[in-house]
Each structure stands twice: as C-alpha cells, then as structure tokens.
Amino acid sequence: KTDGLNLSIQDAVKEDRISELPEDLLLQILSDIPTENFIATSVLSKRWRSLWKMVPNLTFDFTFDPKYHQTFSENLYRSLTSHEAPVLESLQLNFTRGIDGLNIGMWIATAYVRHVRKLVLVSFGDVRDKRARFRSALFNFNDTLEILEIQDYILLDLPSPVCLKSLRELRLYEVHFKDEASVCNLLCGCPSLEDLYVHRESNVDVETFTIVVPSLQRLTIYDFCIGGGKGGYVINAPSLKYLNIVGFEGLDFCLIENAPELVEAEISDVSHIANENILESLTSVKRLSLESPIKIKFPTGKVFDQLVYLDVLTKEREWWNLLSRMLESSPKLQILKLTGLSCIEKGLDGQNWNPPKCVPECLLFHLEKFLWTGYEWQRRDEKEVATYILENARLLKKATFSTKRIDLENLEKRREMLNELASVARASDSCHLVFHSI
C-alpha cells in the first residue's frame, strides 16, 4: 500500500526503488558484482550513468580466447581512466598467457594514478606456458599501495630495487624469481612491510630465499617443493612477532639469523632438514606449535622461559621424546596441547615412553590446562604420557581428551580404557576430567 491505496502489479514493476537508495549503499551493491556487469548499469538511467565510476573495488577477468584480448584491454584501460573515486580501494587483474606486458604495465601505472591501495595480479596457465615477466619498473615510486598479491605463472625479474613505500602486506603464491637478487630487490624496496606470505612449490629458480626485512612482523612460509636438497631460507627480521613454517621434502635448510622479538611460532614438516638453528631461535616465544621435529637438534642449555602455550603434533615416531625435552625446558608452561593426526605408524603401541628423570617445574607450579585432540586410547605410549601428566601436574584445573568416533564393536573397550584413565590418582584435587568424541 502507498497512502492507503493498493498499487497495481504494473505500477509496482514500474517503480524504481533501488535508484532511490543512498549512494553509499548503491556503491556497496555494485562492489559485490563483476566489474563488467556493473559498468553496464550506466545505461539504466541518468542516476546510474556515472555511478559505476565511483565504485572503489574493481575486478577484471580476461577471456581465454586471444582474439578478445585487444578489445578487452582497451575497455579495461578506458574504465580505469574514467574512474573518479578519490581512492581505488582494490584492483584485481586476472589474465592468461599471451597478454602483452606493456598493457599490464599500463594498467598498473593507471591504477597507481588512481591511488590504488590493494593490487591483486593473477596469471592463469599450465606448466607449458611461458610465465608473464614483471620488471622493476612496474613497482617503482608508489606511496599508496598497501597490499600486493601476486599469483601463479609470473616471473619477477627485478635487476634494481622496487619502491613501494607504503606496502604493509605482500602475498606471493607460486611466483618465480629470475635470481636471488630479484628477491632482495623486491623485499628491500618495501620499508613498511609487516606481513609476508610465501607459498612455493618449486625452488629451481632461487636456491637461497633470503628475507631481510627490518619492519616485518608476520611471516608465513609454505614450501611444498619436491626433490630435497635444492634450497631453503635465510630469515633476518628483528621485529618479527609471528612465524609459521610448513616445509616439505624439498626444504633443505631454514636459517633464522635474527628474530629476537618472536612471540608465536608454528613449525611443521621440517624434521628432515639439516638444521640446528630453528628451535634455538624460538626460545623467546610465548606460544609454540611443533610437529615433533625429532631430527632437529635440541638447543643445548637453552630454556623456553617465556613459553606459556605448547602444542605438539603427535605424528612422528617417538614424538614423546620432544615432549619430554620441551617440558623440562619450559618452566612457566600453563597450557599443554597434544594434537593427533591419525597418521602415526601402526604397530608402535608396544613402545614405552621414558618420562623425564625429575618432574618438570612447569608441572609442579604452572600447568593449568591439558588438551589432547585425537587421543589414541588403545595405544600404550599415549596412555603412559596421559597418566604421567595427570599424576604430576599439581595445579591442573582441566584435562580434556578428544577421541575419534568408533564403531559399536569397540565402544565398550574404549569406555573401559577411559574409565581406567579417569581412575588415575591426580596430583591436582581440583582437576576436572572431560572426555568427548570428535
């Protein structure tokens, strides 16, 4: 109803209520649809004729048909030059093989003029395609770009340093570099960089990936290179607060030269690398997650005297050896989490755990919470570890054991095992024991 009168269906259809919405809301609506589509709204009415020019987030996708490249390139350039928003919040360019590098450079330069804050470059192709080559000139003299993301089939050939003064976040997905100097010239040209994400699946281009960034606070490395013995990383980041390294069989070394401010670290799949430095470089952290790197040398005489949270992944053989060393070296530990990945080798349940010779200080005075996700109730070694913690953690307030769901056939047997664990004489009278399935 309008003014007490019923509108006919025809009148309702004719009424343009969307155009009456506030401009900010219309721009938000347009930001959520493909750029090519919202540009087409310029023909709807006078109100919409120039509205699209103020949309702050743009995404352009190239067709895979090469015959449309030139037309699309012209339309994209025209769209960027017509853009009137005071700041271009984000621009994403998705392109395929065969794109003229000069066109890409022209688009990026135009985006710089529009004060772009986030730039995403995605190149599609397959292993037979030649990678798009980006040179230093594409990333020179910009003081507005804050986030840069580069993905797939792109080669960075940077013979001279870039100049991205305001860049805070850099994300590299399977990006190749011409040489080690190109890595250095990219990173040293980002004096405000705080967050770096590196995902690599091939290290044939750069054997030593050196990260020297004084301003860096967060570093994530996912290295899934296959082949082993081909390269690794050198990290020098005096302001680093968070470190996450996921390695694979291709990661040969990871040298942390300078990271005194680390607060949190997650290290996994690095047990095969020839490295004696990783754990020694983590002794200042407060939160630590480790995937039982049994082949990495434990730091002699080093103490994790700031550590309050420890998560150990119980994946590797004899993972409890690492646990014992960490308990002995972490006097202030308050929360202990063990995470089972359900992929540990079978037939090891007959092995015994050798607990610490003396009860660790953290169990006597600090540990308050114990969590075990994926607890293998049928394994002797896991039962021994759980029993030891319960019998010696004097201030423990809560112990939670999560087990996998099982069939009815083994349900009674598991209940008996958990009841046996529940009957352990606990050192803490206030410890609350919790069991549940995941």
Side-chain angles (χ1 to χ4, degrees):
K1 288 185 177 181
T2 302
D3 296 329
L5 300 176
N6 288 322
L7 289 174
S8 67
I9 295 177
Q10 184 176 4
D11 290 335
V13 170
K14 289 181 179 179
E15 187 177 5
D16 182 6
R17 295 184 178 182
I18 294 181
S19 295
E20 301 304 318
L21 294 174
E23 184 172 292
D24 289 347
L25 182 55
L26 290 177
L27 292 176
Q28 181 60 51
I29 293 173
L30 292 180
S31 294
D32 293 334
I33 63 177
T35 300
E36 294 90 340
N37 292 348
F38 73 62
I39 290 178
T41 62
S42 61
V43 302
L44 292 179
S45 68
K46 184 181 294 186
R47 173 76 193 280
W48 293 84
R49 186 171 299 165
S50 299
L51 189 62
W52 69 270
K53 297 179 182 180
M54 300 298 294
V55 177
N57 303 296
L58 304 178
T59 299
F60 293 94
D61 286 285
F62 268 100
T63 175
F64 280 80
D65 191 339
K67 68 182 180 181
Y68 294 114
H69 284 176
Q70 187 59 38
T71 301
F72 195 93
S73 176
E74 294 172 356
N75 291 338
L76 188 153
Y77 181 68
R78 189 180 303 114
S79 299
L80 288 176
T81 54
S82 300
H83 200 260
E84 297 177 356
V87 173
L88 182 56
E89 292 293 341
S90 69
L91 172 64
Q92 179 165 336
L93 302 176
N94 302 337
F95 51 91
T96 59
R97 59 189 182 275
I99 302 300
D100 188 349
L102 292 177
N103 282 336
I104 298 175
M106 181 175 62
W107 303 333
I108 294 176
T110 306
Y112 286 170
V113 173
R114 299 301 174 200
H115 308 294
V116 63
R117 289 180 176 172
K118 178 180 180 180
L119 178 61
V120 180
L121 304 172
V122 184
S123 178
F124 295 97
D126 57 43
V127 294
R128 298 167 296 179
D129 294 331
K130 185 177 180 180
R131 292 177 180 265
R133 183 185 294 263
F134 286 4
R135 300 185 184 276
S136 302
L138 291 180
F139 306 111
N140 270 353
F141 309 112
N142 181 281
D143 57 4
T144 63
L145 189 65
E146 298 179 2
I147 301 174
L148 175 61
E149 185 174 311
I150 307 177
Q151 297 184 26
D152 302 329
Y153 300 97
I154 289 176
L155 172 64
L156 294 183
D157 179 2
L158 309 176
S160 59
V162 305
C163 186
L164 300 174
K165 294 182 179 180
S166 300
L167 195 71
R168 295 181 293 101
E169 181 178 334
L170 176 61
R171 305 180 71 83
L172 305 172
Y173 296 85
E174 189 50 15
V175 173
H176 276 211
F177 290 84
K178 180 186 177 183
D179 47 32
E180 295 178 9
S182 293
V183 177
C184 178
N185 286 330
L186 173 62
L187 298 180
C188 73
C190 306
S192 303
L193 188 63
E194 298 177 356
D195 192 339
L196 174 61
Y197 180 100
V198 179
H199 182 119
R200 302 173 75 204
E201 296 184 5
S202 173
N203 56 14
V204 296
D205 54 336
V206 176
E207 184 171 325
T208 300
F209 199 104
T210 302
I211 299 171
V212 180
V213 185
S215 59
L216 194 64
Q217 296 187 26
R218 294 178 59 86
L219 173 60
T220 301
I221 298 174
Y222 280 78
D223 192 300
F224 296 102
C225 302
I226 299 176
K230 294 296 183 180
Y233 299 83
V234 175
I235 300 170
N236 188 323
S239 300
L240 196 64
K241 301 293 192 299
Y242 171 82
L243 174 65
N244 185 359
I245 300 177
V246 179
F248 202 59
E249 62 183 56
L251 184 58
D252 188 39
F253 62 91
C254 186
L255 180 62
I256 304 175
E257 290 185 338
N258 186 17
E261 301 296 324
L262 264 179
V263 175
E264 182 175 358
E266 300 179 51
I267 310 295
S268 58
D269 283 327
V270 298
S271 61
H272 53 280
I273 70 175
N275 188 293
E276 299 182 357
N277 169 261
I278 286 185
L279 290 183
E280 185 174 346
S281 303
L282 305 178
T283 53
S284 66
V285 300
K286 293 183 178 180
R287 297 175 61 88
L288 179 60
S289 176
L290 294 173
E291 188 180 328
S292 49
I294 57 175
K295 294 182 182 179
I296 292 180
K297 182 179 178 181
F298 200 89
T300 303
K302 292 288 183 177
V303 177
F304 295 83
D305 56 2
Q306 301 299 315
L307 193 66
V308 295
Y309 176 95
L310 174 65
D311 182 1
V312 176
L313 281 67
T314 64
K315 173 184 174 182
E316 300 284 349
R317 177 191 290 268
E318 298 182 1
W319 56 269
W320 51 83
N321 289 334
L322 173 68
L323 175 63
S324 294
R325 299 296 300 273
M326 289 302 301
L327 290 177
E328 292 173 325
S329 303
S330 309
K332 298 179 182 178
L333 189 67
Q334 298 176 18
I335 301 174
L336 173 62
K337 181 180 179 182
L338 302 179
T339 303
L341 300 180
S342 302
C343 56
I344 196 166
E345 298 178 51
K346 295 181 178 180
L348 298 179
D349 58 308
Q351 294 195 12
N352 296 319
W353 176 50
N354 294 318
K357 295 180 180 179
C358 297
V359 178
E361 183 178 340
C362 63
L363 298 185
L364 295 175
F365 303 110
H366 295 285
L367 192 70
E368 296 182 355
K369 186 180 294 186
F370 179 37
L371 307 94
W372 198 326
T373 302
Y375 177 66
E376 297 283 353
W377 53 272
Q378 72 276 28
R379 292 175 53 86
R380 181 193 303 175
D381 52 348
E382 298 209 356
K383 177 185 174 184
E384 290 177 349
V385 172
T387 300
Y388 179 83
I389 299 296
L390 294 176
E391 288 181 339
N392 291 282
R394 294 181 180 178
L395 298 183
L396 195 63
K397 296 179 180 179
K398 187 175 182 180
T400 303
F401 295 86
S402 302
T403 62
K404 295 180 297 181
R405 295 185 181 277
I406 60 173
D407 52 41
L408 293 175
E409 214 173 278
N410 293 309
L411 191 59
E412 184 60 33
K413 187 180 296 185
R414 183 183 68 172
R415 186 180 293 113
E416 292 176 2
M417 294 291 290
L418 295 181
N419 286 338
E420 186 178 343
L421 187 60
S423 65
V424 170
R426 280 162 259 171
S428 172
D429 295 334
S430 60
C431 178
H432 179 49
L433 206 57
V434 179
F435 297 106
H436 60 78
S437 300
I438 56 176

